[in-house]
Amino acid sequence: ELAEFRKFIDRLAFDALPPRVIDAVCILSRNQDQWGVAYSSFVLAKQAGLDLEFQYEDRPLKEAPLYLLPAVSSHSPVSRRCWLQILDRVRAGATLYVSVHDGVLNPFGEAVGVEVQTRRRRSEPTDVLLDGLENVPPLRTTGPVQLTLKPTSAEVLGREADGNPVFTEARYGKGRIFFLAFGMEHELARTPGAFHAEDAKPYWQIYRVIANRATTRRIISGSSPFIGITEHPLDKKTRVIVLINYSPKDVNAEFAVASPWRLKSVLRGHRPGKAGDRLTALIPANDTAVLVVQR
């Protein structure tokens, strides 16, 4: 396999694969399980068709169209300076996603578009239903804190079994803020098989909702949570697309190419077929397809 891969690399028309397109910056704090939260965020983003880079909250804030602040923990998860800087970026047009494990952010309600009515210890697991996604089964949270929320300007995208809002979206200046009232990333890092087991819940659908509504730099959109897609610009008119099958089974991947981009050539794998307005490609287990698109 290593020898075949070496031959494949030697046949490429370029010397090095350019850096991948980054869709979002994931901000981590010193007061959380950084590795676990980062791991969950990365996998969920991959399953939803996003590519992340990471930074700590006490470093200069990177420019990005989308920011993730996952599984906020403790009473001082990020500095006030960092939080206000993030809000300034959203006000100017960026998108922000925040999930809360047991942390507190201030100011909060006005920006997120909800008022916290009560904050209490959660006594038992709770199911979460996502609005408008009929094929997505209830997702379960066992988080330590339950927030009773009253929407003020936010749209409710998900509710607990009793109707209490748990996933919301609000406009903030020229941008928008998604809020999830449980630390999904923290919980999944502690759940065996959370991302790949046969009965694993599709928590990545929450990230997919955000990806569909946020502005990203991506031109390829896929449908399978087991196919990771990276985009590598050779120049302003040409990109190398790498589709990786992370599962131990063959996957018939479906994906769409945004207009005016079109498929130019195939560097690895079979030439994709068509299914309506989408392309399809059979990618063997633990293997990859490499395409070139052009506009």
Side-chain angles (χ1 to χ4, degrees):
E1 289 295 335
L2 291 174
E4 287 300 319
F5 184 70
R6 179 71 261 174
K7 293 176 183 177
F8 165 68
I9 294 295
D10 291 340
R11 289 195 300 267
L12 294 176
F14 44 86
D15 293 331
L17 190 64
R20 63 197 168 101
V21 172
I22 299 297
D23 302 296
V25 169
C26 182
I27 303 168
L28 304 172
S29 74
R30 311 284 180 177
N31 300 322
Q32 65 183 173
D33 172 17
Q34 301 147 15
W35 190 93
V37 169
Y39 173 78
S40 294
S41 299
F42 183 83
V43 176
L44 290 168
K46 273 292 184 184
Q47 291 181 313
L50 295 171
D51 260 312
L52 304 182
E53 63 178 334
F54 296 92
Q55 73 161 87
Y56 281 116
E57 58 88 16
D58 56 4
R59 307 303 299 166
L61 188 61
K62 297 179 180 181
E63 289 283 350
L66 172 62
Y67 294 96
L68 307 182
L69 194 59
V72 170
S73 302
S74 85
H75 289 279
S76 56
V78 297
S79 68
R80 181 177 175 83
R81 178 180 180 181
C82 176
W83 177 236
L84 293 178
Q85 190 176 8
I86 293 171
L87 293 181
D88 284 343
R89 296 283 178 89
V90 177
R91 195 180 292 111
T95 297
L96 170 65
Y97 159 80
V98 181
S99 67
V100 170
H101 176 60
D102 60 2
V104 176
L105 292 166
N106 186 40
F108 173 74
E110 181 181 352
V112 177
V114 299
E115 290 180 354
V116 178
Q117 304 297 293
T118 63
R119 185 180 189 273
R120 60 177 180 264
R121 302 294 296 182
R122 192 181 297 277
S123 59
E124 59 184 1
T126 302
D127 283 341
V128 174
L129 306 172
L130 299 183
D131 292 3
L133 298 179
E134 298 178 357
N135 296 326
V136 177
L139 309 177
R140 175 151 290 202
T141 174
T142 58
V145 174
Q146 182 180 32
L147 301 178
T148 303
L149 301 178
K150 177 184 177 183
T152 53
S153 60
E155 175 189 358
V156 178
L157 304 177
R159 310 168 190 271
E160 295 180 343
D162 62 0
N164 178 46
V166 71
F167 183 38
T168 62
E169 176 191 4
R171 299 296 305 186
Y172 188 72
K174 296 180 181 179
R176 64 184 76 200
I177 298 177
F178 293 89
F179 175 65
L180 185 65
F182 67 97
M184 169 175 65
E185 297 80 5
H186 180 95
E187 296 178 33
L188 294 180
R190 287 158 176 73
T191 305
F195 303 108
H196 66 275
E198 292 292 336
D199 59 348
K201 301 284 188 181
Y203 289 89
W204 59 272
Q205 289 282 5
I206 290 177
Y207 275 38
R208 175 62 63 83
V209 170
I210 298 165
N212 287 342
R213 301 194 182 196
T215 300
T216 69
R217 303 170 179 136
R218 175 173 295 268
I219 61 172
I220 304 293
S221 59
S223 59
S224 170
F226 295 109
I227 301 296
I229 304 174
T230 56
E231 302 183 12
H232 307 263
L234 292 175
D235 52 51
K236 292 183 179 180
K237 294 186 177 182
T238 310
R239 290 190 183 186
V240 176
I241 310 298
V242 181
L243 298 95
I244 303 173
N245 181 0
Y246 288 107
S247 79
K249 299 179 180 179
D250 296 354
V251 173
N252 192 30
E254 286 193 9
F255 56 97
V257 182
S259 178
W261 295 83
R262 59 181 178 80
L263 179 65
K264 178 187 177 184
S265 60
V266 178
L267 303 181
R268 181 179 175 87
H270 300 290
R271 189 170 186 86
K274 283 193 174 183
D277 58 350
R278 300 177 70 83
L279 298 178
T280 63
L282 180 64
I283 305 179
N286 302 314
D287 208 330
T288 183
V290 183
L291 317 174
V292 177
V293 296
Q294 200 171 51
R295 63 175 176 179

